C-alpha cells in the first residue's frame, strides 16, 4: 500500500498533536518541549509529530507541524511532498485566525494540494461556526469540518473529507 | 547584575575562551532567543532551529536506543553547529569554523552549559 503523506498544521493549541495521538496506529513521534510563553498549555511542538493510520484502504502518514511562525522552516520542510493539508483552528480563539491564514497561505502556496480546515474546541463557549471560519480564511465552506480531535470517531472526519478532495 | 547581564557575561567569557566561535545563542526549550552573541543577525532563527534540532535529536536518540541525548552536531564543509541542553531550561547553540579544535570546543561548551544552568 503506497503511503499518502498528509500534514496537519495550524496555530498553537489548535489540537494538531492531540489529533495525531488520537489516531495513530503506530507509536507517535512527538517533539514537545516546555513552553516558555503563556500559550495555555505546558508544552509545545518544536519539530514535528508523526503518526500513521489506515483509512478507507489508504495508509496515511500524518506529519504535524509546530504552530508558531518562528518554526516556519518546519512548515516548509514538512510540506515537501505532502498530498493534502489539514489546517486546524480553534473555534473559541478567533484572534488566532490571522496566524492560521498566514500558515495556510505559506503551506498551500508551496504545496498546491487540496486542504481542509478542521475547526476544534466547538464545545467551548462563544465559538465561531466552521462556516464563519471558512469565510474568514477565504476557503469554500464545504471544506470546513467541525470536530473534536480528542475523539477517534470525530478525528477521522476531516481526514475523510480531505481524502475525498484529493480524489484518493 | 540582572539575570540577562549575567547570562551575557557568561557568553562573553565563553567567547573569550574560544574566540573562533561565530554565533553563540541560548534558546528557551521552545525556541525563543534568550541571549545571543554573534554578528550574523540570525539569532532568532538559530534559536528556533536549535530547539527543533534538539527536540528531534532527543526523539532520534530514544527511537534508536542511543541513551540520553548528549549533543547535536551539524557538520558543514566550512563550519560546525553544535548544541547542548542547558538542563531542562534551554539550549546552548554555537557555530565554529571547520578547522577548530572540536575536542576543546566540546569540553568548553559543556562546561558553559553547566554554568548557564545555574543562572538560567
Ligand atoms: N475542550 C476541547 N479541548 C480540546 C479540543 N481539541 C483539543 N483540545 C485540547 O486542547 C489542547 C491542544 O493541544 P495540542 O494538541 O498540543 O495542540 P497543538 O499546539 O495544535 O499541537 C489539548 O489539551 C487538547 O486536549 C476540543 O475540541 N475541545
Ligand atoms: Mg503540537
Amino acid at each position: 500500500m503506497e503511503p499518502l503523506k498528509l500534514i496537519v498544521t495550524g496555530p498553537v493549541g489548535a489540537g494538531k498533536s492531540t489529533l495525531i495521538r488520537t489516531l495513530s496506529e503506530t507509536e507517535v513521534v512527538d517533539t514537545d518541549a516546555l513552553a516558555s510563553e503563556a500559550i495555555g498549555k505546558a508544552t509545545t511542538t518544536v519539530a514535528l509529530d508523526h503518526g500513521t493510520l489506515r483509512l478507507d484502504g489508504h495508509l496515511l502518514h500524518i506529519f504535524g507541524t509546530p504552530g508558531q511562525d518562528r518554526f516556519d522552516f518546519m512548515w516548509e520542510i514538512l510540506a515537501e511532498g505532502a498530498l493534502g493539508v489539514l489546517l486546524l483552528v480553534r473555534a473559541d480563539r478567533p484572534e488566532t485566525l490571522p496566524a492560521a491564514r498566514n500558515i495556510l497561505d505559506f503551506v498551500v502556496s508551496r504545496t498546491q494540494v487540496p486542504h481542509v480546515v478542521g475547526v476544534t474546541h466547538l464545545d467551548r463557549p462563544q465559538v465561531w461556526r466552521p462556516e464563519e471560519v471558512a469565510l474568514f480564511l477565504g476557503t469554500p465552506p464545504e471544506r470546513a469540518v467541525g470536530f473534536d480531535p480528542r475523539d477517534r470517531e470525530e478525528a477521522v472526519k476531516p481526514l475523510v473529507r480531505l481524502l475525498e478532495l484529493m480524489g484518493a | 547584575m540582572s539575570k540577562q547581564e549575567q547570562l551575557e557575561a557568561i557568553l562573553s567569557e565563553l567567547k573569550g575562551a574560544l574566540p573562533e566561535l561565530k554565533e553563540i545563542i541560548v534558546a528557551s526549550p521552545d525556541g525563543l532567543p534568550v541571549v545571543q552573541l554573534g554578528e550574523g543577525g540570525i539569532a532568532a532563527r538559530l534559536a528556533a532551529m536549535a530547539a527543533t534540532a534538539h527536540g528531534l535529536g532527543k526523539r532520534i536518540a530514544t527511537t534508536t536506543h542511543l541513551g540520553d541525548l548528549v549533543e547535536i552536531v551539524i557538520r558543514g564543509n566550512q563550519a560546525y553547529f553544535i548544541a547542548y541542553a542547558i538542563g531542562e531550561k534551554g539550549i546552548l547553540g554555537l557555530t565554529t569554523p571547520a578547522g577548530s579544535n572540536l575536542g576543546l570546543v566540546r569540553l568548553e561548551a559543556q562546561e558553559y552549559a553547566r554554568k548557564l544552568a545555574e543562572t538560567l
Side-chain angles (χ1 to χ4, degrees):
Chain A
M1 212 178 342
E2 175 115 345
L4 301 179
K5 176 177 175 177
L6 306 179
I7 73 167
V8 181
T9 189
V12 178
K16 304 177 292 296
S17 298
T18 304
L19 174 81
I20 292 174
R21 277 183 221 123
T22 301
L23 287 180
S24 186
E25 294 163 350
T26 49
E27 197 192 336
V28 172
V29 171
D30 77 65
T31 58
D32 269 33
L34 290 176
S36 65
E37 304 171 288
I39 54 170
K41 55 186 186 135
T43 66
T44 190
T45 305
V46 295
L48 79 166
D49 299 306
H50 175 261
T52 66
L53 163 73
R54 277 159 302 149
L55 185 64
D56 294 346
H58 298 286
L59 175 60
L60 309 183
H61 277 238
I62 309 175
F63 291 80
T65 73
Q68 298 90 337
D69 56 11
R70 61 178 176 275
F71 295 114
D72 60 3
F73 55 91
M74 285 309 297
W75 306 345
E76 197 173 340
I77 291 169
L78 295 172
E80 177 82 38
L83 299 173
V85 176
L86 172 57
L87 177 80
L88 297 192
V89 185
R90 272 182 78 147
D92 62 338
R93 291 273 188 282
E95 68 276 15
T96 65
L97 280 169
R101 181 154 61 187
N102 179 40
I103 298 171
L104 190 63
D105 289 347
F106 187 102
V107 172
V108 168
S109 68
R110 277 167 177 74
T111 53
Q112 313 277 346
V113 296
H115 71 271
V116 162
V117 177
V119 181
T120 65
H121 291 79
L122 282 162
D123 55 303
R124 311 265 307 169
Q126 304 236 345
V127 293
W128 281 37
R129 309 302 314 158
E131 314 78 71
E132 295 171 313
V133 171
L135 191 63
F136 182 97
L137 295 172
T139 292
E142 67 276 11
R143 293 190 177 207
V145 179
F147 79 108
D148 187 332
R150 297 168 299 174
D151 178 86
R152 198 181 179 286
E153 274 178 25
E154 288 266 309
V156 296
K157 283 191 197 167
L159 293 176
V160 168
R161 176 67 52 84
L162 187 56
L163 288 177
E164 280 167 19
L165 282 169
M166 287 160 55
Chain B
M1 256 204 292
S2 72
K3 188 165 124 178
Q4 192 72 19
E5 286 166 343
Q6 288 178 46
L7 293 169
E8 278 166 12
I10 298 172
L11 292 202
S12 302
E13 216 183 292
L14 173 57
K15 173 80 176 171
L18 299 167
E20 69 270 33
L21 299 185
K22 288 273 182 293
E23 302 285 338
I24 312 177
I25 54 128
V26 172
S28 63
D30 59 345
L32 289 169
V34 180
V35 269
Q36 66 247 17
L37 208 129
E39 306 104 57
I42 55 169
R45 198 110 190 113
L46 203 54
M49 289 180 165
T52 300
H54 187 262
L56 188 55
K58 278 210 291 206
R59 283 311 309 239
I60 293 173
T62 329
T63 304
T64 51
H65 310 292
L66 305 186
D68 292 334
L69 179 69
V70 176
E71 66 180 5
I72 296 284
V73 180
I74 311 268
R75 181 180 179 182
N77 63 359
Q78 296 171 15
Y80 296 92
F81 169 77
I82 308 181
Y84 293 95
I86 304 171
E88 296 280 295
K89 299 168 184 166
I91 299 144
L92 170 65
L94 46 88
T95 63
T96 192
S100 316
N101 179 342
L102 211 56
L104 184 64
V105 171
R106 284 184 158 129
L107 277 178
E108 291 282 358
Q110 288 183 79
E111 177 60 28
Y112 278 84
R114 275 191 289 274
K115 279 193 197 176
L116 287 162
E118 287 161 22
T119 309
L120 248 193

